[in-house]
Amino acid sequence: METSSAIIGFLQSVHPYDSLPQDELVRVAHSFRRSEVQAGAEIYHFGAPLDGIYLIKTGSVEVQDASGGLVSLLGPRNSFGERGLMRDGLAATTALALEDCVLLHLPAAEFHALMQSAPPFQRFFTRGRAGDRRNTDLAMQTVGDLMTGDPQSCGPEDTVQSAAARMRDGKISCLGVVEAGAFIGLVTTRDLTGKVLAAGLPASTPVRAVMSGTPISLPPEALGADVLNLMLERRIGHLPVVEAGRLIGMITQTDITRFQATSSAQLVRDLAGAQSVAQMAAVTARIPQLLVQLVGGNTAHQVTTRLITDIADTVTRRLLALAEANLGPAPVPYLWLACGSQGRQEQTGVSDQDNCLFIDDAATEDDMAYFAALAIYVCDGLHACGYVYCPGEMMATNPKWCARISTWRGYFRRWIATPDPMAQMLASVMFDLRPIGGTVSLFSDLQAETLAEAAENSIFVAHMIANSLTHTPPLGLLRGFATFRSGEHKNQIDLKHNGVVPLTDLGRVYALIGQSAVANTRARLLAAGDAGVISTSGGADLLDAYDLIAQTRLDHQARLIRAGKAADNFMAPSDLSDFERAHLRDAFVVVRTMQSAVGQARGART
C-alpha cells in the first residue's frame, strides 16, 4: 500500500503540486486515493459523472474523444479528467489504461478548493483554454505570478542555528528577515556556510550579524525580465518580493526552472493532442524559444537537453500512433528506438534524427513491407518537424536498420567479434539506443546480453577505446584554441565534434567497462565514478569539464537564436571573455588528459 510519505515525495516532483506550501502539500497528499488499474481497463467513459481528477504515478493512459478518436497518450506525472470536472462534472473523454497503472485520485471537492485557493494550481489547469490570457514567455510574466507566496521568515535576533533548522525543515534555501512586520534582510544557506561555518562563528550568533541587509527586491508588478536581468547581472539566486515594505513572496532560480519546465510540458501536451504532422511542426517550431527561456533561466544543461529530448520523444510516439491509424495495427510486435543525441537524451537546438526498428522474429515478408511503410511515415514526419534526415542514413527507413530481432542479434555479435573501424562506428551508435515506442521487452534482453559480451571481449574494448580518441579537444599552442584556419567557420571551434563528442565517447567506454546500461553521458560519468571505473578526482574533474563545455554550447546556441539566427555548434573563442576562455580551455585540457589516460593502456582508471 502506498504510504503518505511516498505520495508526498511523488507530489514534490509534479507541477503544480510542487508549488504548494509544505504543510498544504502534506494535507493534499492525504486526500489522494491510490488505485491499481490493469492494462486494457476503462478508467471512465465519456459522459460519466466524475468524482475527481486522476494523476498517473506509473503506467500510461490513452484518452479518447466521444467517437473513440485518440486525443492524447499520457504517462507518469500527467493528470486527466480535469476538463470535464471543470465544465459540468461529466467526463469529456474516455480514459483507458494502456498498461498496468498506479493512479492517484484527487476528490472533486479538494480539486475545486485548490482551484480557488492556490493561484499556481488554477493557472496550471486553465492554461490553453479560451478564457486563459497566460503568456508563456517568462520575460512577460509578472513577478506576482512567478513568486512563491507565503514566504518563511525569521527575526533578526533569532540564532543562525534556529534559522538553519527552519530552512532544513521547510526544504528551502533562504529566509526573509522580518522585524515588526517590516522586511529588513535576507539570510541564505550560502550565508550560513560562508559567514558562519567558514568563519567559525558560534551557533548562537544572531541572524542580524550574517544576513544581507536591505537586499535587492522587486514589487509584485515587476516582470519576469526584471528577475532574469537581476539574477544574471548580480549573480544572485533569490529575489524577495516586497509590497509596502512587507515581504509577500520569494522568487528563486528553482521557481524559474519550474516555469520553464511547465512551458516544455505545454509543448508536450500540445503535441500529444496534435492530429496531423503540420500541427506538430507548428509546435516544434517553438523549441528555439524554449531553449532561450531555459538557458536564460540558468537551467542546468542536462535539464535543458532532457526537456528538449522529451519533446522529440513525444513527436515520435505521436507519429507512430498516426502511422498505425493510417496503415492499420502492426501485424507483429515491434519497438522503435532512438540513438544518437535523442537516445542519450541530450538534444539541443540542432538535431537530426537517428533511429531504428526492432521487429519480432515472427514477421513475414509482407509484415516487413508494413514496417517499411511505417518507417517512411515516421521519418518523413520527423523531418517535417525539424528533425532532419540523418546524413549517414542511420534511420529506420534504411532496410539495414529495420530488421527482425535475430538480425539485430547477428549485427551485434559480428561487430563485437570483428571490431573493424566500420563495426566500431556502428557499435558506438548502437550503444546509445533507447526505446521510444512499442514493445520494450524486444530490446531489454538483447541489451543486457550484448553489453555483457562486449565488456568481456578485450579486443573489442581496446578498439572502442581507440575509436573514442578520434575526436580531440580543440587545443592549440600557447594556451590558445585550435580554430578552423579557413572556410565558412574560420577562427571558430566546433563545440559538438571537438567539444561534447570526446566526452560522449569517453562516457560510452566507461559504460562498457562498467557494464552500465544507462545511455546519458552525464549519467555514465557519474556511474563510472560510483563504480570505481575512474578515480574520484578524475571523475569529478571530468564531470566539471563536461558541464562547462555542454553549457557553453547551449549558451552559444541561445545567443544565436536571440539574434534571430539559426542555432549551430560553431563558436568563435573571441565571443567569450578572457575569464570564460581560460576556463573553457582548462576544461578541454581535462578531457585530453583523460583521453591520454585511456589511450596509454591504463584502462579507464586514472
Side-chain angles (χ1 to χ4, degrees):
M1 194 67 182
E2 200 82 35
T3 64
S4 296
S5 60
I7 294 178
I8 292 169
F10 178 68
L11 293 180
Q12 286 174 330
S13 70
V14 180
H15 197 70
Y17 303 96
D18 61 350
S19 64
L20 297 174
Q22 185 66 18
D23 56 346
E24 179 72 351
L25 177 67
V26 172
R27 188 191 65 76
V28 171
H30 283 88
S31 299
F32 275 94
R33 297 197 304 268
R34 180 188 186 277
S35 63
E36 296 182 3
V37 181
Q38 293 185 340
E42 184 177 86
I43 301 167
Y44 60 71
H45 192 78
F46 177 84
L50 290 172
D51 58 356
I53 67 166
Y54 295 85
L55 175 62
I56 304 173
K57 192 169 189 300
T58 62
S60 60
V61 171
E62 177 176 323
V63 179
Q64 302 176 349
D65 60 21
S67 60
L70 180 66
V71 174
S72 60
L73 299 174
L74 305 177
R77 293 179 174 79
N78 285 150
S79 297
F80 60 99
E82 71 273 9
R83 181 179 163 196
L85 199 61
M86 293 168 59
R87 188 176 61 183
D88 56 6
L90 302 179
T93 56
T94 295
L96 304 171
L98 285 180
E99 54 186 348
D100 292 345
C101 296
V102 173
L103 302 179
L104 299 179
H105 179 267
L106 183 68
E110 185 64 53
F111 173 81
H112 290 304
L114 286 169
M115 291 290 286
Q116 293 295 319
S117 65
F121 198 90
Q122 189 271 341
R123 287 195 300 269
F124 180 82
F125 283 104
T126 57
R127 62 186 181 186
R129 293 182 167 80
D132 186 25
R133 295 291 181 263
R134 183 173 182 263
N135 189 321
T136 57
D137 184 353
L138 183 147
M140 301 304 294
Q141 298 299 297
T142 65
V143 166
D145 287 334
L146 294 171
M147 72 180 188
T148 298
D150 192 24
Q152 295 197 38
S153 62
C154 65
E157 304 309 323
D158 289 350
T159 66
V160 292
Q161 182 178 27
S162 66
R166 192 168 301 177
M167 287 188 230
R168 178 202 62 199
D169 295 342
K171 297 182 180 179
I172 55 177
S173 55
C174 68
L175 289 173
V177 183
V178 176
E179 186 174 41
F183 173 67
I184 63 170
L186 187 72
V187 61
T188 68
T189 52
R190 185 174 180 179
D191 293 326
L192 298 179
T193 301
K195 298 178 181 179
V196 180
L197 288 177
L201 296 181
S204 59
T205 301
V207 167
R208 187 189 297 276
V210 299
M211 72 180 189
S212 298
T214 61
I216 301 168
S217 63
L218 287 173
E221 62 269 20
L223 295 178
D226 300 320
V227 176
L228 293 176
N229 291 339
L230 284 173
M231 284 186 171
L232 291 171
E233 291 175 11
R234 305 298 181 90
R235 298 183 181 278
I236 54 178
H238 306 82
L239 272 173
V241 183
V242 177
E243 189 173 47
R246 186 171 61 89
L247 180 67
I248 64 170
M250 190 75 66
I251 295 181
T252 68
Q253 288 183 352
T254 300
D255 296 316
I256 300 300
T257 301
R258 283 173 180 160
F259 175 88
Q260 292 155 344
T262 300
S263 296
S264 69
Q266 183 63 56
L267 266 65
V268 168
R269 186 171 180 169
D270 291 346
L271 287 166
Q275 299 300 313
S276 68
V277 172
Q279 288 180 9
M280 284 188 281
V283 177
T284 55
R286 290 147 54 190
I287 292 176
Q289 185 56 43
L290 173 65
L291 186 144
V292 169
Q293 288 185 5
L294 292 169
V295 171
N298 291 325
T299 307
H301 71 88
Q302 66 270 23
V303 176
T304 297
T305 53
R306 170 61 187 273
L307 293 174
I308 291 176
T309 304
D310 285 347
I311 295 169
D313 291 354
T314 304
V315 171
T316 306
R317 284 191 285 267
R318 189 72 188 111
L319 286 168
L320 287 169
L322 291 175
E324 290 195 35
N326 280 273
L327 301 172
V332 297
Y334 74 92
L335 179 63
W336 186 281
L337 302 100
C339 43
S341 60
Q342 185 183 0
R344 297 189 304 273
Q345 297 180 301
E346 294 167 4
Q347 288 193 311
T348 67
V350 186
S351 296
D352 59 5
Q353 56 175 290
D354 299 282
N355 46 62
C356 60
L357 264 172
F358 282 23
I359 302 166
D360 191 277
D361 281 335
T364 65
E365 287 307 309
D366 286 343
D367 295 339
M368 295 303 291
Y370 169 93
F371 289 111
L374 181 140
I376 291 172
Y377 188 100
V378 176
C379 289
D380 285 353
L382 287 169
H383 182 78
C385 290
Y387 304 99
V388 299
Y389 299 125
C390 174
E393 295 190 5
M394 185 65 68
M395 298 180 295
T397 48
N398 184 336
K400 187 172 185 178
W401 311 131
C402 178
R404 299 177 181 88
I405 291 295
S406 56
T407 301
W408 279 105
R409 181 170 280 106
Y411 287 161
F412 286 119
R413 286 178 175 172
R414 186 161 62 252
W415 293 338
I416 294 170
T418 312
D420 58 31
M422 180 56 71
Q424 285 301 301
M425 184 202 72
L426 294 172
S428 294
V429 173
M430 294 305 169
F431 271 116
D432 295 345
L433 286 174
R434 183 171 59 88
I436 303 297
T439 306
V440 177
S441 60
L442 293 176
F443 175 66
S444 53
D445 291 343
L446 179 59
Q447 181 191 35
E449 171 188 319
T450 301
L451 189 59
E453 289 182 9
E456 292 170 2
N457 188 316
S458 59
I459 296 176
F460 178 81
V461 173
H463 278 272
M464 283 290 287
I465 291 174
N467 186 66
S468 74
L469 305 180
T470 57
H471 295 99
T472 57
L475 291 169
L477 300 174
L478 302 176
R479 295 195 60 77
F481 294 92
T483 60
F484 293 102
R485 295 184 178 182
S486 60
E488 178 184 1
H489 303 297
K490 182 179 180 180
N491 297 326
Q492 296 178 323
I493 58 176
D494 186 342
L495 287 171
K496 178 181 178 181
H497 290 101
N498 300 113
V500 297
V501 168
L503 283 146
T504 299
D505 291 341
L506 282 173
R508 194 179 292 117
V509 168
Y510 296 148
L512 176 61
I513 294 172
Q515 296 192 42
S516 172
V518 296
N520 178 264
T521 298
R522 198 174 194 278
R524 283 170 167 170
L525 297 179
L526 286 169
D530 291 342
V533 174
I534 50 178
S535 69
T536 301
S537 59
D541 288 346
L542 197 58
L543 195 64
D544 286 344
Y546 178 59
D547 287 343
L548 179 61
I549 296 167
Q551 192 63 55
T552 300
R553 182 189 182 197
L554 289 179
D555 290 345
H556 165 71
Q557 292 185 3
R559 281 196 299 270
L560 290 176
I561 295 169
R562 283 193 293 265
K565 301 177 182 179
D568 65 26
N569 294 300
F570 300 96
M571 184 194 72
S574 57
D575 290 343
L576 303 176
S577 67
D578 290 343
F579 179 84
E580 291 169 327
R581 284 198 300 272
H583 280 276
L584 182 60
R585 191 182 188 282
D586 289 344
F588 287 142
V589 169
V590 169
V591 178
R592 185 170 67 180
T593 300
M594 298 299 282
Q595 285 183 321
S596 297
V598 172
Q600 290 169 2
R602 288 188 289 175
R605 190 178 296 276
T606 61

PDB file of all heavy atoms in Angstrom, residues 224-238:
ATOM      1  N   GLY A 224       8.992  39.266 -15.369  1.00  0.00           N
ATOM      2  CA  GLY A 224       9.974  38.193 -15.339  1.00  0.00           C
ATOM      3  C   GLY A 224      11.305  38.629 -15.917  1.00  0.00           C
ATOM      4  O   GLY A 224      12.363  38.153 -15.503  1.00  0.00           O
ATOM      5  N   ALA A 225      11.271  39.540 -16.902  1.00  0.00           N
ATOM      6  CA  ALA A 225      12.514  40.051 -17.477  1.00  0.00           C
ATOM      7  C   ALA A 225      13.375  40.724 -16.410  1.00  0.00           C
ATOM      8  O   ALA A 225      14.606  40.623 -16.424  1.00  0.00           O
ATOM      9  CB  ALA A 225      12.200  41.040 -18.604  1.00  0.00           C
ATOM     10  N   ASP A 226      12.724  41.424 -15.465  1.00  0.00           N
ATOM     11  CA  ASP A 226      13.471  42.061 -14.376  1.00  0.00           C
ATOM     12  C   ASP A 226      14.147  41.013 -13.495  1.00  0.00           C
ATOM     13  O   ASP A 226      15.271  41.205 -13.027  1.00  0.00           O
ATOM     14  CB  ASP A 226      12.530  42.917 -13.525  1.00  0.00           C
ATOM     15  CG  ASP A 226      11.850  44.016 -14.327  1.00  0.00           C
ATOM     16  OD1 ASP A 226      12.527  44.618 -15.171  1.00  0.00           O
ATOM     17  OD2 ASP A 226      10.652  44.238 -14.126  1.00  0.00           O
ATOM     18  N   VAL A 227      13.437  39.908 -13.274  1.00  0.00           N
ATOM     19  CA  VAL A 227      14.002  38.820 -12.464  1.00  0.00           C
ATOM     20  C   VAL A 227      15.246  38.252 -13.136  1.00  0.00           C
ATOM     21  O   VAL A 227      16.307  38.108 -12.508  1.00  0.00           O
ATOM     22  CB  VAL A 227      12.957  37.699 -12.261  1.00  0.00           C
ATOM     23  CG1 VAL A 227      13.576  36.531 -11.506  1.00  0.00           C
ATOM     24  CG2 VAL A 227      11.749  38.225 -11.518  1.00  0.00           C
ATOM     25  N   LEU A 228      15.118  37.916 -14.416  1.00  0.00           N
ATOM     26  CA  LEU A 228      16.245  37.330 -15.138  1.00  0.00           C
ATOM     27  C   LEU A 228      17.431  38.281 -15.171  1.00  0.00           C
ATOM     28  O   LEU A 228      18.577  37.877 -14.951  1.00  0.00           O
ATOM     29  CB  LEU A 228      15.823  36.967 -16.565  1.00  0.00           C
ATOM     30  CG  LEU A 228      14.799  35.839 -16.702  1.00  0.00           C
ATOM     31  CD1 LEU A 228      14.412  35.661 -18.158  1.00  0.00           C
ATOM     32  CD2 LEU A 228      15.358  34.546 -16.154  1.00  0.00           C
ATOM     33  N   ASN A 229      17.164  39.560 -15.453  1.00  0.00           N
ATOM     34  CA  ASN A 229      18.254  40.529 -15.547  1.00  0.00           C
ATOM     35  C   ASN A 229      19.000  40.654 -14.223  1.00  0.00           C
ATOM     36  O   ASN A 229      20.237  40.659 -14.182  1.00  0.00           O
ATOM     37  CB  ASN A 229      17.718  41.890 -15.976  1.00  0.00           C
ATOM     38  CG  ASN A 229      17.238  41.901 -17.414  1.00  0.00           C
ATOM     39  OD1 ASN A 229      17.640  41.042 -18.205  1.00  0.00           O
ATOM     40  ND2 ASN A 229      16.398  42.854 -17.761  1.00  0.00           N
ATOM     41  N   LEU A 230      18.253  40.764 -13.128  1.00  0.00           N
ATOM     42  CA  LEU A 230      18.901  40.916 -11.826  1.00  0.00           C
ATOM     43  C   LEU A 230      19.680  39.663 -11.437  1.00  0.00           C
ATOM     44  O   LEU A 230      20.805  39.755 -10.918  1.00  0.00           O
ATOM     45  CB  LEU A 230      17.856  41.236 -10.757  1.00  0.00           C
ATOM     46  CG  LEU A 230      17.327  42.671 -10.754  1.00  0.00           C
ATOM     47  CD1 LEU A 230      16.174  42.820  -9.771  1.00  0.00           C
ATOM     48  CD2 LEU A 230      18.450  43.649 -10.397  1.00  0.00           C
ATOM     49  N   MET A 231      19.092  38.493 -11.682  1.00  0.00           N
ATOM     50  CA  MET A 231      19.779  37.255 -11.312  1.00  0.00           C
ATOM     51  C   MET A 231      21.076  37.094 -12.100  1.00  0.00           C
ATOM     52  O   MET A 231      22.092  36.637 -11.563  1.00  0.00           O
ATOM     53  CB  MET A 231      18.867  36.049 -11.530  1.00  0.00           C
ATOM     54  CG  MET A 231      17.799  35.886 -10.464  1.00  0.00           C
ATOM     55  SD  MET A 231      16.854  34.350 -10.653  1.00  0.00           S
ATOM     56  CE  MET A 231      15.914  34.338  -9.117  1.00  0.00           C
ATOM     57  N   LEU A 232      21.040  37.449 -13.376  1.00  0.00           N
ATOM     58  CA  LEU A 232      22.229  37.294 -14.209  1.00  0.00           C
ATOM     59  C   LEU A 232      23.264  38.374 -13.908  1.00  0.00           C
ATOM     60  O   LEU A 232      24.464  38.092 -13.786  1.00  0.00           O
ATOM     61  CB  LEU A 232      21.832  37.331 -15.689  1.00  0.00           C
ATOM     62  CG  LEU A 232      21.027  36.129 -16.198  1.00  0.00           C
ATOM     63  CD1 LEU A 232      20.521  36.382 -17.609  1.00  0.00           C
ATOM     64  CD2 LEU A 232      21.875  34.871 -16.166  1.00  0.00           C
ATOM     65  N   GLU A 233      22.825  39.626 -13.804  1.00  0.00           N
ATOM     66  CA  GLU A 233      23.769  40.732 -13.601  1.00  0.00           C
ATOM     67  C   GLU A 233      24.391  40.715 -12.210  1.00  0.00           C
ATOM     68  O   GLU A 233      25.582  40.961 -12.053  1.00  0.00           O
ATOM     69  CB  GLU A 233      23.056  42.062 -13.828  1.00  0.00           C
ATOM     70  CG  GLU A 233      22.658  42.302 -15.285  1.00  0.00           C
ATOM     71  CD  GLU A 233      21.847  43.573 -15.444  1.00  0.00           C
ATOM     72  OE1 GLU A 233      21.775  44.358 -14.463  1.00  0.00           O
ATOM     73  OE2 GLU A 233      21.281  43.783 -16.526  1.00  0.00           O
ATOM     74  N   ARG A 234      23.579  40.417 -11.208  1.00  0.00           N
ATOM     75  CA  ARG A 234      24.078  40.448  -9.821  1.00  0.00           C
ATOM     76  C   ARG A 234      24.523  39.079  -9.323  1.00  0.00           C
ATOM     77  O   ARG A 234      24.994  38.968  -8.202  1.00  0.00           O
ATOM     78  CB  ARG A 234      22.989  40.992  -8.895  1.00  0.00           C
ATOM     79  CG  ARG A 234      22.437  42.359  -9.300  1.00  0.00           C
ATOM     80  CD  ARG A 234      23.495  43.454  -9.277  1.00  0.00           C
ATOM     81  NE  ARG A 234      22.953  44.745  -9.629  1.00  0.00           N
ATOM     82  CZ  ARG A 234      22.444  45.624  -8.766  1.00  0.00           C
ATOM     83  NH1 ARG A 234      22.415  45.330  -7.481  1.00  0.00           N
ATOM     84  NH2 ARG A 234      21.972  46.780  -9.175  1.00  0.00           N
ATOM     85  N   ARG A 235      24.327  38.056 -10.155  1.00  0.00           N
ATOM     86  CA  ARG A 235      24.707  36.686  -9.782  1.00  0.00           C
ATOM     87  C   ARG A 235      24.073  36.292  -8.444  1.00  0.00           C
ATOM     88  O   ARG A 235      24.743  35.853  -7.514  1.00  0.00           O
ATOM     89  CB  ARG A 235      26.227  36.530  -9.733  1.00  0.00           C
ATOM     90  CG  ARG A 235      26.894  36.768 -11.082  1.00  0.00           C
ATOM     91  CD  ARG A 235      28.387  36.524 -11.012  1.00  0.00           C
ATOM     92  NE  ARG A 235      29.013  36.782 -12.292  1.00  0.00           N
ATOM     93  CZ  ARG A 235      29.063  35.941 -13.318  1.00  0.00           C
ATOM     94  NH1 ARG A 235      28.507  34.754 -13.192  1.00  0.00           N
ATOM     95  NH2 ARG A 235      29.656  36.256 -14.453  1.00  0.00           N
ATOM     96  N   ILE A 236      22.769  36.476  -8.376  1.00  0.00           N
ATOM     97  CA  ILE A 236      22.033  36.109  -7.173  1.00  0.00           C
ATOM     98  C   ILE A 236      20.980  35.065  -7.524  1.00  0.00           C
ATOM     99  O   ILE A 236      20.528  34.979  -8.668  1.00  0.00           O
ATOM    100  CB  ILE A 236      21.356  37.338  -6.513  1.00  0.00           C
ATOM    101  CG1 ILE A 236      20.469  38.081  -7.531  1.00  0.00           C
ATOM    102  CG2 ILE A 236      22.406  38.272  -5.933  1.00  0.00           C
ATOM    103  CD1 ILE A 236      19.746  39.272  -6.942  1.00  0.00           C
ATOM    104  N   GLY A 237      20.605  34.262  -6.548  1.00  0.00           N
ATOM    105  CA  GLY A 237      19.647  33.189  -6.789  1.00  0.00           C
ATOM    106  C   GLY A 237      18.330  33.363  -6.066  1.00  0.00           C
ATOM    107  O   GLY A 237      17.439  32.532  -6.198  1.00  0.00           O
ATOM    108  N   HIS A 238      18.194  34.458  -5.272  1.00  0.00           N
ATOM    109  CA  HIS A 238      16.963  34.686  -4.515  1.00  0.00           C
ATOM    110  C   HIS A 238      16.554  36.149  -4.656  1.00  0.00           C
ATOM    111  O   HIS A 238      17.378  37.047  -4.491  1.00  0.00           O
ATOM    112  CB  HIS A 238      17.162  34.387  -3.024  1.00  0.00           C
ATOM    113  CG  HIS A 238      17.714  33.024  -2.743  1.00  0.00           C
ATOM    114  ND1 HIS A 238      19.066  32.730  -2.824  1.00  0.00           N
ATOM    115  CD2 HIS A 238      17.101  31.859  -2.385  1.00  0.00           C
ATOM    116  CE1 HIS A 238      19.257  31.455  -2.526  1.00  0.00           C
ATOM    117  NE2 HIS A 238      18.089  30.912  -2.260  1.00  0.00           N
TER     118      HIS A 238
END
